[in-house]
């Protein structure tokens, strides 16, 4: 009888963890989705303010019938573009350093502010690529992301060793991308884009499994504040995987204006 009670208690605990895990993952994906929506709206709105069809107050023509406004000139053609380009990277490091000192509400607000800044940083895609190709690439990215994340959630294979290799590769493409800003090599750009797709595809599966494993490892403590911040950090990681996978796929699938 005692053994039966032990088994029943163990089954009850597993059921509670499974239910909590589903709720945790739903919060992760929900927060990530809101962040993506904020980024998309911010990027579209900023690009709309940066381009005009009226040449009278424009600073430069970018294509026939479209001109940069003063805001567009500042964002895309002045030294401010370097701040806009690297600000999201700096904010990610700041977020990682500050997460333990922030409340769950503060961390969520930080994440949404980061999503706005990322929208500003990538808004130039609307000047370079057609709107249809951007939407098509986004949908392809969403389908690929869903499949990769599902694999990471369901697989029994330990993706930890793969994650270490992928993070090393990520550091490599960040360095190569910075160097190529000054070199401007199309061959290096192509290689970075190919590696970027592969690396962030792998990181999507790895990060999903890590979020799941972290929850299971700490679920017994039931620290609601920690779980809330963990969900936000998980959302940030998957958000970055999605955005970077989208941006690298856009280099191959996007139709340029």
């Amino acid at each position: 009888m005692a053994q039966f009670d032990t088994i029943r208690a163990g089954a009850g605990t597993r059921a509670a963890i499974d239910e909590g895990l589903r709720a945790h993952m739903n919060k992760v994906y929900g927060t990530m989705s809101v962040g993506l929506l904020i980024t998309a709206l911010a990027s579209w709105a900023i690009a709309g303010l940066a381009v005009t069809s009226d040449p009278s107050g424009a600073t430069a023509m970018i294509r026939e019938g479209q001109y940069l406004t003063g805001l567009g000139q500042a964002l895309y053609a002045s030294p401010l573009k370097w701040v806009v380009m690297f600000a999201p990277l700096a904010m990610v490091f700041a977020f990682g350093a500050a997460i333990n000192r922030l409340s769950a509400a503060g961390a969520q607000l930080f994440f949404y502010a980061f999503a706005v800044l990322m929208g500003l940083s990538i808004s130039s895609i609307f000047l370079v690529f057609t709107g249809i190709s951007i939407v098509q690439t986004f949908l392809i990215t969403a389908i690929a992301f869903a499949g990769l994340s599902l694999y990471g959630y369901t697989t029994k294979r330990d993706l930890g060793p793969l994650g270490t290799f992928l993070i090393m590769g990520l550091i490599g493409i960040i360095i190569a991308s910075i160097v190529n800003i000054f070199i401007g090599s199309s061959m290096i750009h192509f290689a970075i884009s190919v590696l970027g797709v592969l690396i962030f595809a792998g990181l999507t599966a790895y990060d999903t499994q890590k979020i799941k494993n972290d929850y299971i490892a700490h679920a017994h403590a039931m620290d609601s504040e920690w779980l809330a911040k963990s969900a936000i950090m998980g959302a940030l990681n998957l958000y970055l995987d999605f955005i970077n996978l989208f941006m690298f796929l856009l280099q191959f699938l996007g139709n340029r204006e």
Side-chain angles (χ1 to χ4, degrees):
M1 183 65 179
Q3 184 179 10
F4 175 76
D5 289 340
T6 301
I7 293 173
R8 185 170 60 182
T13 301
R14 286 194 298 272
I17 290 176
D18 289 343
E19 183 178 352
L21 177 60
R22 285 192 294 271
H24 184 73
M25 295 304 296
N26 285 338
K27 183 171 184 180
V28 169
Y29 289 123
T31 303
M32 182 200 78
S33 298
V34 172
L36 289 173
L37 178 61
I38 291 172
T39 296
L41 292 176
S43 181
W44 175 77
I46 292 165
L49 294 173
V51 177
T52 181
S53 58
D54 179 14
S56 60
T59 59
M61 186 175 75
I62 54 175
R63 65 178 69 89
E64 187 66 32
Q66 285 192 320
Y67 306 84
L68 283 179
T69 64
L71 175 63
Q73 178 72 22
L75 291 179
Y76 310 129
S78 76
L80 182 62
K81 68 182 180 181
W82 301 110
V83 177
V84 172
M85 184 184 302
F86 291 109
L89 183 61
M91 201 168 180
V92 166
F93 287 120
F95 191 34
I99 185 66
N100 291 327
R101 298 191 299 273
L102 292 172
S103 65
Q108 189 165 29
L109 181 61
F110 196 111
F111 172 68
Y112 291 149
F114 171 77
V116 173
L117 185 60
M118 181 62 79
L120 171 63
S121 181
I122 68 173
S123 60
S124 60
I125 63 174
F126 288 97
L127 280 65
V128 178
F129 301 97
T130 63
I132 292 177
S133 69
I134 291 173
V135 172
Q136 289 175 338
T137 304
F138 183 89
L139 293 176
I140 291 170
T141 304
I143 294 170
F145 177 89
L148 291 162
S149 190
L150 180 62
Y151 171 76
Y153 185 83
T154 57
T155 185
K156 302 300 182 183
R157 179 186 175 188
D158 179 16
L159 300 179
L162 176 63
T164 302
F165 175 77
L166 291 171
I167 291 172
M168 291 173 60
L170 173 59
I171 295 171
I173 63 171
I174 290 174
I175 295 173
S177 297
I178 293 173
V179 171
N180 201 44
I181 289 174
F182 303 99
I183 297 177
S185 168
S186 58
M187 185 177 298
I188 293 177
H189 177 76
F190 178 79
I192 290 172
S193 298
V194 172
L195 290 174
V197 169
L198 296 175
I199 287 171
F200 283 102
L203 281 173
T204 298
Y206 166 76
D207 284 333
T208 302
Q209 186 183 77
K210 187 174 185 300
I211 293 168
K212 175 185 176 181
N213 290 342
D214 284 348
Y215 177 86
I216 293 173
H218 295 87
H220 64 280
M222 291 301 173
D223 183 344
S224 59
E225 182 74 7
W226 183 91
L227 290 175
K229 290 198 286 187
S230 175
I232 295 166
M233 280 300 297
L236 174 63
N237 288 334
L238 291 182
Y239 167 93
L240 289 171
D241 294 337
F242 188 103
I243 288 291
N244 283 285
L245 186 60
F246 165 73
M247 292 297 291
F248 283 119
L249 283 174
L250 193 61
Q251 304 303 313
F252 299 108
L253 304 177
N255 293 324
R256 297 178 181 270
E257 294 279 11

